[in-house]
Amino acid sequence: MKQNKRQFAIMNMLQVERSCGIVDLAKRLDVSDETIRRDIKEMAKFGAVEKIHGGVMLPNTALEAPFLRRLETQRTIKQKIAELAASLIVDGETLLIDNGSTSCYVAKALSSRRDLTVVTNSTEVARDLCARNSNKVFMAGGEIRADDSATYGPTAVNFAKQFATERAILSIAAVSADQGFLDCDLGEAEFKRAILPQAASVIVVADHTKFNRPGVVKVCDFDAIDLLLTDQLPPQSIIDKIGRDRIMIA
């Protein structure tokens, strides 16, 4: 597909916002609604976007942006959620931490804690916590993915299963009232599922953009987690499933 400048602009907006309405796109690009509909129809024909009622979104296969971009998306909000998570952790705790972008900010927020024992598949988390305050960090082995320098696959999963910790801290790609907690990558979801039963308490860290967002791979149901840390209350449909007492707002 040969994209015109307007279609490139639409893709750039979708990379940041995940979905956009036709009327909003037409206004921002100073064209008619019909022009936007024609662009979307052409882009959808080649699988670049997915048409939804009144708008357009990235297809499921494109939902997760590259890791460095994910770190920058909603950065200030993720940092606030991370500070809230860190406030719940005391010196000497044992933690399982995954490689989600918000989890990486949690690791940075834990910089003042001492004597932590941390199990992770994230080189980012390991680097932030291993060389300070008498922490012990255990890094899961396995294949290292180029995008985020994290380990995945059977070796990483089996390694994590050897540990029993007080808490697990997980980022998540999507929170659905109907399906629970979801991810967009099979390897990430498998690692999360593996560490859930290893922790006495499970904390999910997710900003509001993850609510009722499409996901691909189910991680767990609402009853598998103990706390959801976020920046604003989820839709009532999600609150009804998880319970207001298990939600903390940064």
Side-chain angles (χ1 to χ4, degrees), residues 3-237:
Q3 288 184 311
N4 59 37
K5 290 182 179 180
R6 193 171 53 252
Q7 290 169 356
F8 274 120
I10 292 171
M11 287 301 298
N12 287 336
M13 292 178 197
L14 287 174
Q15 289 290 341
V16 175
E17 300 176 23
R18 311 301 183 189
S19 64
C20 296
I22 289 172
V23 174
D24 182 49
L25 286 171
K27 185 179 298 184
R28 291 160 72 176
L29 295 174
D30 197 25
V31 294
S32 69
D33 294 4
E34 191 55 39
T35 297
I36 295 296
R37 287 191 180 92
R38 284 197 298 269
D39 283 333
I40 290 172
K41 183 177 180 180
E42 182 179 355
M43 295 163 75
K45 184 166 61 177
F46 292 93
V49 300
E50 182 177 329
K51 291 190 291 184
I52 57 176
H53 181 68
V56 62
M57 63 178 283
L58 291 178
N60 283 338
T61 53
L63 280 173
E64 282 291 86
F67 187 68
L68 290 178
R69 192 182 304 156
R70 285 160 54 193
L71 279 174
E72 291 303 314
T73 303
Q74 304 289 336
R75 177 175 184 167
T76 302
I77 289 173
K78 289 176 179 178
Q79 288 171 331
K80 289 180 179 179
I81 295 170
E83 290 291 343
L84 176 59
S87 73
L88 304 176
I89 307 302
V90 300
D91 292 349
E93 282 205 43
T94 55
L95 307 170
L96 276 156
I97 305 179
D98 77 334
N99 188 56
S101 58
T102 310
S103 294
C104 290
Y105 283 116
V106 173
K108 297 180 189 300
L110 289 170
S111 61
S112 63
R113 301 295 183 272
R114 303 188 61 85
D115 301 311
L116 299 176
T117 299
V118 178
V119 183
T120 187
N121 67 327
S122 166
T123 57
E124 183 87 10
V125 170
R127 182 171 61 247
D128 279 328
L129 293 174
C130 71
R132 64 174 76 237
N133 302 339
S134 302
N135 295 329
K136 291 181 181 179
V137 177
F138 295 89
M139 178 75 197
E143 181 181 0
I144 298 178
R145 193 164 62 182
D147 173 39
D148 53 9
S149 297
T151 56
Y152 295 100
T155 303
V157 166
N158 291 332
F159 180 86
K161 284 182 176 179
Q162 298 179 77
F163 295 86
T165 66
E166 292 166 276
R167 300 183 198 260
I169 298 174
L170 307 179
S171 293
I172 209 75
V175 186
S176 164
D178 295 325
Q179 296 176 292
F181 297 95
L182 303 111
D183 235 310
C184 293
D185 180 270
L186 179 60
E188 292 186 29
E190 287 176 338
F191 186 83
K192 289 175 172 65
R193 281 199 298 266
I195 67 178
L196 281 169
Q198 308 304 113
S201 175
V202 178
I203 298 171
V204 167
V205 288
D207 66 79
H208 70 276
T209 64
K210 309 301 174 62
F211 300 148
N212 288 329
R213 173 187 167 192
V216 178
V217 187
K218 183 166 182 174
V219 175
C220 65
D221 291 316
F222 289 101
D223 59 5
I225 73 114
D226 296 281
L227 280 176
L228 170 63
L229 308 188
T230 185
D231 60 305
Q232 59 182 250
L233 278 176
Q236 190 61 46
S237 58

